[in-house]
Amino acid sequence: MTNAPLNFDLLVIGAGPGGYHAAIRAAQLGLKVACAEMGAVGGVCLNIGCIPTKALLHAGETMAAGKHATEFGLNFGAPTLDIPKLNGWKDSIVKKLTGGVSGLFRANKVTHLVGQASFVDAHTVRIGDQTVTASSIIIATGSEPAALKGLDVDQRVIVDSTGALNVPDPVPARMLCVGGGVIGFEFAHIYNNLGTKVKVIEFLPNIIPGADADAVKEFSKSMKKQGIEIQTRTKANSATVNGNEVVVEIENVETGEKTLETFDRVLVAVGRRPRTDGLNLAAAGLQTTERGFIEVNRRMQTAVPHIYAVGDVAGNPMLAHKAMKEGLVAAEVAAGKPSEQDAVAIPGVVYTSPELAWVGLTEQEAKDKGYSVKTGVFPMSASGRAMTLQSTDGFVKMVVEEGSDLLLGVHIVGPHASDMLGEASLALEMAATASDVALTIHAHPTLGESVLEAAEAVHKQAIHIINR
């Protein structure tokens, strides 16, 4: 017997950051909403991405901090690892947060549907054995790890970001991270702190593509100081698994030199691809670009105006906070509100220690756009608060348009850089000048003062460094 069709004002396909934000906002605005998800609510970010990686990063950094505590008189002894308890603690955080999202759905009267969604036509979707019709539809299906030819992921010794979340017991002695982006370095940092000898290789000339060159140089220096080996212009051609080890052919793409190296675990972190498989987009009158994205306008509308796409499936950057904002915009437009995605800049963060965080234009991007640029740099080594945290690697760099003093970008390497970035993001959205930031009283002693000092350094007036 076929179930009777369910009808909603809005159907959201996917319950990740973009999807659940969209569903809840639409319900807040009075729409009858359903959200379909074939997996767990919260999507990649909450279940196998942002949240569990940050839990492991905290655990690794706590372990590393304990080793250095003797420098100021605290002696804990040699730390030991309880891997099952570590993995269980990480998973408990995920369970609590997914439960929280489910509770928010119930509180906002969002109907949660479980199953693979597939378009029948532009207003009709099959979800499992249930037919759903909706006046508006938001596609928020996210992304999945990209594959790399020659390195077949088995989630045991050759893993992607999902497999890397399960820390094996014992911790691998040697690990190769293929890909020097955000994901590669966060896992490199986790395993390095847990005692693994880690090597990162990157095909491009520089790690962390898109970040400011000076910030990347400082970040790289700190990672190497902590014991992580980094090789750029390098690729992995193939991998052969021998029991619990894997032999990888590594090639220098400039010289063509090839070597065979043995590791206990290999992480494939070469990016992500949008997830649209099984959606039957053609039935709704939609198609994807060559790179697999669904094209949208600033109102997050696709080529079919009542169908929206948000988050990773709608294009780069593939970031949870970008998806969240786009989900809100799509929901508001679907509810008849005059909303659009008009963010000046979208922040990026590498959650290592020190963190690398940025928002707005890099110095080179600003010059390429024709700006006459001034910069101000304040080192963390001159921050009293950074000294008390035993974390003085890094700096705050401010990129400013000469003449107007308009803030164009802020780039931070240092402790809690991601938290300091909020001020910079707001300043960019408000079209603030470096002088606006410098005239704002910051609490002392804080890391945030480094943002103020960088603004002062633009005008050669920073107090705690010699202005050259």
Side-chain angles (χ1 to χ4, degrees):
M1 182 176 178
T2 303
N3 293 327
L6 300 175
N7 183 258
F8 297 90
D9 297 322
L10 174 67
L11 169 66
V12 181
I13 302 174
Y20 83 74
H21 274 71
I24 292 171
R25 176 53 53 86
Q28 290 172 341
L29 294 172
L31 300 187
K32 181 183 178 184
V33 182
C35 186
E37 173 58 60
M38 61 185 295
V41 295
V44 168
C45 179
L46 200 161
N47 290 279
I48 51 173
C50 321
I51 297 301
T53 56
K54 303 313 164 284
L56 292 179
L57 281 162
H58 173 65
E61 287 162 10
T62 300
M63 189 168 180
K67 294 176 183 177
H68 295 291
T70 56
E71 297 170 14
F72 52 87
L74 295 181
N75 299 293
F76 296 108
T80 60
L81 268 174
D82 184 334
I83 298 297
K85 190 170 184 178
L86 173 61
N87 284 323
W89 169 72
K90 170 202 67 184
D91 294 341
S92 72
I93 295 172
V94 170
K95 184 177 180 180
K96 182 176 182 179
L97 289 172
T98 55
V101 173
S102 295
L104 289 170
F105 275 0
R106 291 191 296 271
N108 287 280
K109 295 181 172 57
V110 174
T111 300
H112 178 202
L113 303 173
V114 179
Q116 166 72 51
S118 179
F119 280 95
V120 176
D121 58 44
H123 282 283
T124 309
V125 179
R126 289 288 296 174
I127 301 167
D129 61 357
Q130 180 69 61
T131 299
V132 176
T133 62
S135 300
S136 300
I137 299 170
I138 296 176
I139 302 170
T141 47
S143 64
E144 59 192 10
L148 185 62
K149 185 178 179 180
L151 276 74
D152 297 326
V153 171
D154 61 11
Q155 301 297 30
R156 189 177 67 88
V157 289
I158 303 178
V159 299
D160 58 21
S161 57
T162 302
L165 285 170
N166 292 312
V167 181
D169 193 2
V171 173
R174 301 153 298 176
M175 180 174 177
L176 174 68
C177 294
V178 183
V182 174
I183 295 172
F185 268 97
E186 288 190 354
F187 278 110
H189 193 62
I190 288 167
Y191 279 87
N192 180 64
N193 279 336
L194 295 179
T196 302
K197 177 63 178 174
V198 180
K199 180 175 185 174
V200 178
I201 61 173
E202 168 58 49
F203 181 82
L204 297 175
N206 296 297
I207 60 172
I208 318 296
D212 183 81
D214 289 337
V216 167
K217 183 178 180 180
E218 181 72 9
F219 174 81
S220 179
K221 184 173 68 175
S222 181
M223 292 298 103
K224 290 177 180 177
K225 187 168 70 173
Q226 293 178 54
I228 297 173
E229 183 181 354
I230 302 171
Q231 289 183 3
T232 56
R233 301 298 285 140
T234 304
K235 65 177 182 177
N237 291 328
S238 63
T240 303
V241 177
N242 295 320
N244 292 322
E245 294 183 331
V246 54
V247 179
V248 183
E249 183 184 87
I250 297 175
E251 179 181 348
N252 182 310
V253 297
E254 292 182 335
T255 66
E257 180 184 359
K258 299 176 182 178
T259 58
L260 293 176
E261 299 186 33
T262 302
F263 302 91
D264 303 291
R265 176 167 269 202
V266 173
L267 166 66
V268 179
V270 291
R272 300 183 64 83
R273 58 179 292 272
R275 182 185 290 155
T276 58
D277 297 344
L279 283 177
N280 193 24
L281 293 175
L286 294 174
Q287 59 183 14
T288 59
T289 66
E290 288 184 3
R291 298 187 63 189
F293 296 115
I294 301 173
E295 290 188 330
V296 294
N297 61 21
R298 285 162 66 95
R299 290 163 62 82
M300 309 316 299
Q301 293 168 303
T302 66
V304 180
H306 72 272
I307 302 178
Y308 307 79
V310 303
D312 291 1
V313 78
N316 288 314
M318 292 184 176
L319 298 169
H321 43 275
K322 175 246 193 191
M324 293 171 179
K325 174 61 177 175
E326 290 178 346
L328 298 178
V329 169
E332 289 164 3
V333 174
K337 302 294 182 181
S339 185
E340 66 176 29
Q341 168 62 297
D342 60 354
V344 171
I346 298 173
V349 183
V350 187
Y351 291 91
T352 49
S353 182
E355 292 182 342
L356 168 58
W358 66 93
V359 66
L361 299 178
T362 68
E363 181 178 356
Q364 189 59 53
E365 286 171 342
K367 290 176 179 177
D368 291 345
K369 287 180 177 290
Y371 288 103
S372 178
V373 172
K374 294 193 300 183
T375 63
V377 177
F378 184 79
M380 288 295 172
S381 58
S383 164
R385 185 68 176 120
M387 291 180 194
T388 66
L389 294 173
Q390 278 194 306
S391 186
T392 55
D393 286 352
F395 56 71
V396 177
K397 177 180 178 180
M398 195 165 283
V399 180
V400 174
E401 182 185 23
E402 190 170 15
S404 72
D405 201 37
L406 182 69
L407 185 62
L408 301 175
V410 177
H411 310 272
I412 307 174
V413 180
H416 303 289
S418 57
D419 297 319
M420 287 191 280
L421 203 63
E423 174 184 0
S425 299
L426 178 61
L428 283 170
E429 291 292 338
M430 299 298 291
T433 64
S435 295
D436 289 328
V437 177
L439 289 168
T440 302
I441 297 176
H442 290 61
H444 174 79
T446 61
L447 295 169
E449 287 178 293
S450 300
V451 178
L452 179 155
E453 293 263 20
E456 293 277 34
V458 170
H459 306 119
K460 312 301 180 188
Q461 293 180 332
I463 296 298
H464 293 98
I465 57 172
I466 298 173
N467 298 277
R468 302 188 186 282

